[in-house]
Amino acid sequence: MAKDKKAAPPGVSRRDFFRGSAVGALSTGLLSSTVAEGAQTAGAQVLGPGPVPVTLQINGKSHRLQLEPRVTLLDALRNHLDLTGSKKVCDRGTCGACTVLMDGKPVYACAVLAIDAQGKRIETIESLGTPEKLHPIQAAFVEHDAQQCGFCTPGFVVASKAFLDRNPRPTRQQIEKGLGGNLCRCGTYAGIRAALLAVKAGKGGGNA
Amino acid sequence: MPEYKWPDANDRDLIGKRISRLDGPVKVTGTAKYAFDINRPGMLFTRTVYCPHAHARITKLDTSEAAKMPGVKAVRIIQNVGTEIQWALDEIVAIAATSEDAAEDAVRAVKVEYEVLPHFVNGEAGEKAPQAKAAQQNVVGDPNGAKAAAAVTSKGYYGIPTISHCCMEAHGQVCEWTDEQHLEAWCTTQSVAGLPAQFAEGTGIPAANVRTHCEYMGGGFGSKFSVDRWGVECAKLAKDAKAPVKWMLEREPELTIAGDRPSAYAEIEVGASQDGTITYWSSKSWGSGGPGGSGSPPMPYVIQPANRRHQHISVPTHMASARAWRAPNHPQACFLTMSAIDDLAAALKMDPLDFFMKNAAITQRAAVYQEELQKGAELIEWKKKWRPRGQNGPGPVKRGLGVSMHTWGGLGHNSNCEVSIFPDGSVEAKLASQDLGTGTRTVIAIVLAETLGLPLNAVKVSIGDSSFPPSGASGGSTTVGGVSASTRRAAQLALEQLLVKVAPDLGVPPEQLEAEKGTIRVKGNPTKSMPWKQAAARVGMTPLTAKGANPGAGKLIDQGVGGIQMAEVSVDTETGIVKMEKMVAVQDCGLIIDLKTAESQCYGALIMGICYALTEEKIIDPVTGRMLNANMEFYKLAGIGDIGELVVHMMTGPEYDKRGVIGLGEPPVISPGAAISNAVANAIGVRVPHLPLTPDRVLAALEKGGMS
């Protein structure tokens, strides 16, 4: 899975980390923030620190927001759009509870800046199914009791969708590798494994 | 009055079946709203100034700049100049602002100075620790005589570290004042009915003016019983700011201060007669869970040799206070005890399965343990696979088997339930209980529907609101017994009232009626019946309601279970990496209401156990007193690829059923550490004395044992 594993070192906030890296990214990736500030006076475009217009394509709908450049995609979803299905747990790109699809690829929404998500097709758990009309993956999660407290579950469902889209007939070993980017505390992995194997069986069977 | 008992096995349509949890659909779609997900209009966000030192006194504190920062709406000084701080990341100042980022900017503008004081964080120091508190030695029989008479003795040192609860949903809440005197709070809690009194005490308003909600919660495991200081301060911030305030802990404080299972270490000597009966036990244990030290692990655990002594030493440290962790004190006692007796079996050159089977005789549940050991041995193919310790082939990767056993109480807590039957036929049960992910909501619905003869989708369960009839906190495996008994009684009482109203229509006395298959019908004459909806219309204009309370141990519920677990591992003796091959859990819990969610409790417990056996540990820097791995990258939980094959076998049948409902959350999480440690010892020929069984510890044990 293409996942950003960058975690801020202890004692340095992710905001500082992003502040540095985002400015770097906007200034061809080579300039330090000090040089970037110099470039700003010379007319180069540097965003922030105040709110800037941001347009996000989420679940097929365009949202125009005013966000500080440091706001993550996860905080934009949860705090600005009330899309709270993506959960904030580790907030450092480790646990996968905030997994969303960006142009079809799973990413940790806590490790993506909202401004960097512009122009991408973002799909969250809210786009997959409803309690009344579950996506087959979601139905399999329910049937195989692949959730307990349920807090990691939306991230697992989205990661499973991305995984099965690429590997429609996975073995158990492939499932264990493919979903290795998500963590659960209640211990629902046995149910998740069974759920994904069942979805696969529904697509034509095969041996684990 | 109806007779309160469970329906006979052949009269059960729902109880004991494999039923999917009712809140599955809202959880898998992300529509379930947890406290963390509550967004109220105009809501503010909190960030906190934490003390960076494990032991310090605040000498200067200035929040004036922070208060002026953009977006800041309220600043609360939680601990002021002169206060002595007892652990790292204790809260000093909380700031509510229009965004998390604005609050964090303001946190950075707070000026705090400390006089740093000496700290102590080494819970393993035992008697040598400052302020170590030794409990009285507990002696039974004649340990000295038994030691002298024993055919074989074995002596060892074992340790299990402090771990964190690491709930996926961090601790916290959203607080909103509906007027000057009324507080509403959405909390992630194991005690929705217990929180109003705690909020009231902290804020000075009557408890009757506080309403708490917890419809869904993202894990507690024993760490979420209290309102905590951040709950009370959140309410005060909301009052100061005149706006709703959300305060959820960031992950670093969540791991450092909001979760803490005490460590435990022990020197143990144990002896047996030649036939393998354990006759002698002597242990000294110690451990820490913060300033209050630690509770005493019940040792020796489960097995009660005739001659034994035990002493516990509690070690206070400058770490956040211990919180109850799933089966408090039991995983520690189990790991220490079962490791020591497994080492004794090895000294006797006895198959541990035979050894545990024999010594099940000196437990309180001999027959249950022996039946379970038998079943477990079949499921893991013990007799086919087991080899004597250290004789697991010439290659670098060694396979091994281990076994352990455990016990727990699980008596249902105080619980009240109100059942309403509405004139349109709809039915609702209300309880101020909470579903931690164990399946509480589903269990209530099953009991309600079964009692009224209705399908599951015809009943509504409302929980997670303190305005409903109170139910106990969900801890100690007490919930399923509590809510199933109160719901059964309330539903039986409601039904009894309904039958009185319907009896004239069916022309028989109410005692001759029953609720079955969506009808009220005459017992023994199913053709003489009335559809449920028509019957319910007889209640009149207003709903019929009845209240039921859990009566305690009796026909509906009981306490006391035994379980066994077996682990199969492979250990790479060149890298020290332990890999889970298979685990088997055999567990009894009386009458099972929902087999599917019951099994999930066991699967989850096995996985949680694999985590604390192999990877989990709070690593505390002795120099700074800070937790070094307070993030989810380095506070390691097992992933989906780390668990191997898991087999769960629930003991069922008339003998188990007749005991009634018994709690299940705790027992299966107790044994994994011991079973896995014993399997590793069997595989590599030496004991790795400390959990977690990380590669460095495995390699060190091999080297010390001359095996590398």
Side-chain angles (χ1 to χ4, degrees):
Chain A
M1 302 224 299
K3 289 197 171 171
D4 190 346
K5 279 274 186 180
K6 286 173 194 163
V12 178
S13 82
R14 192 256 323 277
R15 196 166 44 86
D16 283 347
F17 184 80
F18 276 157
R19 187 185 275 152
S21 60
V23 168
L26 285 167
S27 46
T28 75
L30 294 171
L31 302 174
S32 72
S33 59
T34 318
V35 182
E37 276 159 23
Q40 185 179 21
T41 55
Q45 194 199 8
V46 173
L47 300 177
V52 297
V54 174
T55 304
L56 297 172
Q57 300 293 331
I58 300 164
N59 303 334
K61 219 173 130 188
S62 183
H63 296 270
R64 302 186 67 171
L65 301 166
Q66 287 286 326
L67 301 174
E68 291 179 23
R70 62 181 170 177
V71 172
T72 63
L73 175 58
L74 179 61
D75 285 345
L77 292 171
R78 292 180 53 83
N79 298 341
H80 296 267
L81 296 167
D82 201 29
L83 291 170
T84 55
S86 311
K87 304 302 183 199
K88 189 168 188 168
V89 177
C90 74
D91 201 25
R92 291 293 186 279
T94 306
C95 74
C98 64
T99 304
V100 299
L101 303 182
M102 205 153 86
D103 288 340
K105 287 184 187 163
V107 297
Y108 294 143
C110 76
V112 176
L113 289 172
I115 52 166
D116 285 342
Q118 294 184 100
K120 317 266 189 192
R121 185 167 44 87
I122 295 153
E123 295 164 87
T124 70
I125 184 70
E126 284 86 356
S127 73
L128 264 188
T130 64
E132 295 73 32
K133 198 175 177 204
L134 297 172
H135 183 281
I137 294 173
Q138 292 168 322
F141 267 60
V142 173
E143 171 62 26
H144 294 274
D145 208 26
Q147 72 280 300
Q148 287 188 29
C149 85
F151 212 68
C152 72
T153 309
F156 261 108
V157 170
V158 173
S160 298
K161 164 87 167 52
F163 171 70
L164 289 174
D165 283 349
R166 276 148 212 264
N167 307 276
R169 296 170 59 82
T171 62
R172 186 178 123 176
Q173 288 69 28
Q174 286 168 329
I175 291 169
E176 291 180 349
K177 191 154 187 259
L179 291 179
N182 291 64
L183 293 171
C184 167
R185 183 48 153 166
C186 299
T188 58
Y189 299 137
I192 294 168
R193 246 174 8 196
L196 263 61
L197 288 170
V199 173
K200 178 186 86 163
K203 288 187 174 182
N207 294 321
Chain B
M1 292 282 281
E3 188 192 357
Y4 297 113
K5 64 182 185 66
W6 297 111
D8 293 335
N10 46 9
D11 289 336
R12 295 176 202 149
D13 294 320
L14 299 167
I15 288 174
K17 303 285 188 296
R18 206 177 284 274
I19 292 168
S20 294
R21 70 182 64 227
L22 297 182
D23 49 13
V26 292
K27 286 178 173 173
V28 297
T29 51
T31 42
K33 288 278 181 191
Y34 299 75
F36 212 140
D37 301 331
I38 299 296
N39 286 325
R40 303 290 298 169
M43 187 181 77
L44 305 172
F45 298 85
T46 309
R47 280 292 180 265
T48 310
V49 177
Y50 295 104
C51 177
H53 308 291
H55 188 200
R57 189 176 290 108
I58 306 171
T59 55
K60 272 186 191 170
L61 180 56
D62 181 0
T63 58
S64 56
E65 284 302 312
K68 288 184 248 164
M69 299 280 288
V72 171
K73 301 294 181 188
V75 177
R76 283 201 63 82
I77 295 173
I78 299 173
Q79 301 193 80
N80 214 329
V81 172
T83 312
E84 191 176 322
I85 306 299
Q86 299 291 343
W87 58 78
L89 302 200
D90 204 11
E91 310 97 81
I92 309 296
V93 175
I95 297 174
T98 48
S99 73
E100 288 166 293
D101 290 325
E104 193 170 313
D105 288 345
V107 158
R108 283 158 188 248
V110 172
K111 297 184 187 76
V112 200
E113 289 178 23
Y114 300 91
E115 176 196 352
V116 179
L117 302 169
H119 63 259
F120 181 80
V121 291
N122 180 12
E124 194 173 356
E127 283 164 308
K128 295 181 216 91
Q131 299 174 11
K133 285 176 267 186
Q136 182 114 29
Q137 192 179 59
N138 186 14
V139 182
V140 175
D142 174 19
N144 290 341
K147 180 183 178 181
V152 179
T153 61
S154 161
K155 203 172 180 177
Y157 174 58
Y158 312 89
I160 178 168
T162 308
I163 64 172
S164 190
H165 293 66
C166 194
C167 306
M168 295 301 274
E169 185 186 26
H171 286 63
Q173 61 289 306
V174 173
C175 288
E176 180 172 343
W177 292 81
T178 51
D179 62 36
E180 280 290 304
Q181 283 293 314
H182 288 83
L183 174 67
E184 197 152 5
W186 292 261
C187 308
T188 177
T189 182
Q190 297 177 236
S191 181
V192 74
L195 289 194
Q198 297 181 38
F199 270 116
E201 195 187 343
T203 58
I205 57 169
N209 291 7
V210 182
R211 185 172 174 192
T212 53
H213 303 269
C214 178
E215 192 149 9
Y216 304 98
M217 65 89 76
F221 315 110
S223 68
K224 289 181 178 168
F225 293 118
S226 164
V227 69
D228 282 310
R229 191 166 53 198
W230 47 75
V232 172
E233 291 296 333
C234 181
K236 290 179 177 174
L237 279 170
K239 194 159 210 179
D240 291 354
K242 297 185 171 47
V245 171
K246 179 187 281 188
W247 179 346
M248 307 303 297
L249 265 59
E250 306 97 301
R251 190 50 45 177
E252 187 184 7
E254 176 65 26
L255 280 161
T256 308
I257 62 173
D260 187 343
R261 183 180 82 178
S263 59
Y265 306 88
E267 285 168 353
I268 301 170
E269 188 174 45
V270 60
S273 56
Q274 197 58 51
D275 74 343
T277 301
I278 303 172
T279 51
Y280 160 64
W281 174 277
S282 175
S283 57
K284 187 193 278 182
S285 66
W286 58 93
S288 186
S294 75
S296 179
M299 286 171 65
Y301 187 63
V302 175
I303 288 175
Q304 301 291 295
N307 308 289
R308 57 187 192 263
R309 66 168 156 256
H310 175 65
Q311 184 177 29
H312 183 72
I313 297 153
S314 173
V315 181
T317 53
H318 292 103
M319 290 167 64
S321 297
R323 289 172 187 249
W325 194 98
R326 214 170 168 180
N329 297 324
H330 280 234
Q332 295 97 319
C334 182
F335 165 72
L336 299 170
T337 301
M338 300 298 158
S339 297
I341 68 169
D342 184 67
D343 285 347
L344 179 60
L348 272 162
K349 302 200 187 307
M350 237 178 122
D351 179 340
L353 176 64
D354 301 335
F355 187 71
F356 275 68
M357 194 72 91
K358 179 171 260 308
N359 286 292
I362 51 170
T363 68
Q364 290 186 345
R365 305 188 173 273
V368 170
Y369 285 123
Q370 283 162 353
E371 189 185 358
E372 290 178 337
L373 285 165
Q374 192 83 40
K375 188 73 209 170
E378 279 168 35
L379 291 169
I380 209 163
E381 301 179 281
W382 184 285
K383 283 294 170 188
K384 187 178 134 197
K385 289 179 177 169
W386 183 80
R387 302 281 176 275
R389 183 181 280 196
Q391 296 176 32
N392 286 284
V397 178
K398 315 281 190 190
R399 285 220 174 195
L401 289 179
V403 56
S404 173
M405 36 197 208
H406 55 261
T407 186
W408 189 253
L411 183 67
H413 55 28
N414 288 330
S415 175
N416 295 278
C417 172
E418 183 180 281
V419 166
S420 299
I421 300 173
F422 292 85
D424 66 350
S426 56
V427 173
E428 182 181 20
K430 284 183 180 171
L431 308 88
S433 185
Q434 49 281 317
D435 190 333
L436 277 51
T438 49
T440 303
R441 181 180 270 110
T442 310
V443 159
I444 295 166
I446 289 172
V447 170
L448 180 58
E450 178 84 60
T451 306
L452 301 180
L454 294 171
L456 209 49
N457 62 9
V459 303
K460 179 182 174 189
V461 174
S462 297
I463 59 172
D465 183 333
S466 64
S467 69
F468 297 157
S471 219
S474 289
S477 303
T478 58
T479 305
V480 70
V483 302
S484 63
S486 65
T487 303
R488 175 74 175 166
R489 286 179 69 117
Q492 282 188 279
L493 280 172
L495 178 63
E496 190 181 54
Q497 291 182 47
L498 182 66
L499 296 184
V500 169
K501 291 179 187 288
V502 170
D505 291 293
L506 290 168
V508 295
E511 306 83 65
Q512 287 181 29
L513 293 174
E514 63 181 1
E516 282 290 336
K517 315 283 181 221
T519 66
I520 301 299
R521 67 188 193 188
V522 176
K523 287 178 189 168
N525 183 9
T527 53
K528 210 171 169 190
S529 69
M530 181 188 280
W532 173 264
K533 202 164 176 169
Q534 197 184 332
R538 297 288 187 274
V539 308
M541 301 293 280
T542 55
L544 175 167
T545 69
K547 281 189 176 163
N550 172 18
K555 283 186 177 167
L556 291 177
I557 65 169
D558 198 3
Q559 63 185 317
V561 298
I564 69 102
Q565 291 183 5
M566 293 177 181
E568 182 181 5
V569 300
S570 57
V571 185
D572 186 327
T573 54
E574 291 177 350
T575 62
I577 291 173
V578 177
K579 181 165 169 267
M580 294 308 304
E581 296 292 344
K582 184 170 180 174
M583 275 198 91
V584 170
V586 184
Q587 185 65 51
D588 73 312
C589 65
L591 173 68
I592 294 172
I593 304 283
D594 182 353
L595 187 54
K596 188 182 280 195
T597 52
E599 286 174 351
S600 287
Q601 280 298 293
C602 295
Y603 284 118
L606 288 175
I607 293 167
M608 217 168 185
I610 291 168
C611 292
Y612 77 70
L614 297 186
T615 56
E616 256 186 88
E617 176 174 15
K618 267 183 143 174
I619 299 172
I620 309 295
D621 179 4
V623 178
T624 63
R626 293 280 297 264
M627 182 174 171
L628 292 174
N629 58 338
N631 56 65
M632 291 183 72
E633 188 82 37
F634 296 105
Y635 188 83
K636 302 281 296 175
L637 302 181
I640 192 169
D642 299 326
I643 58 173
E645 184 190 349
L646 304 177
V647 179
V648 171
H649 181 87
M650 305 302 301
M651 301 302 283
T652 53
E655 287 305 301
Y656 293 96
D657 275 18
K658 75 176 186 196
R659 299 189 61 197
V661 177
I662 311 174
L664 177 63
E666 333 287 305
V669 88
I670 297 168
S671 268
I676 294 168
S677 178
N678 289 345
V680 169
N682 175 248
I684 65 174
V686 289
R687 172 69 54 182
V688 183
H690 281 67
L691 296 186
L693 304 167
T694 50
D696 58 322
R697 291 198 175 109
V698 171
L699 293 177
L702 282 165
E703 190 169 320
K704 194 176 171 201
M707 310 289 285
S708 61

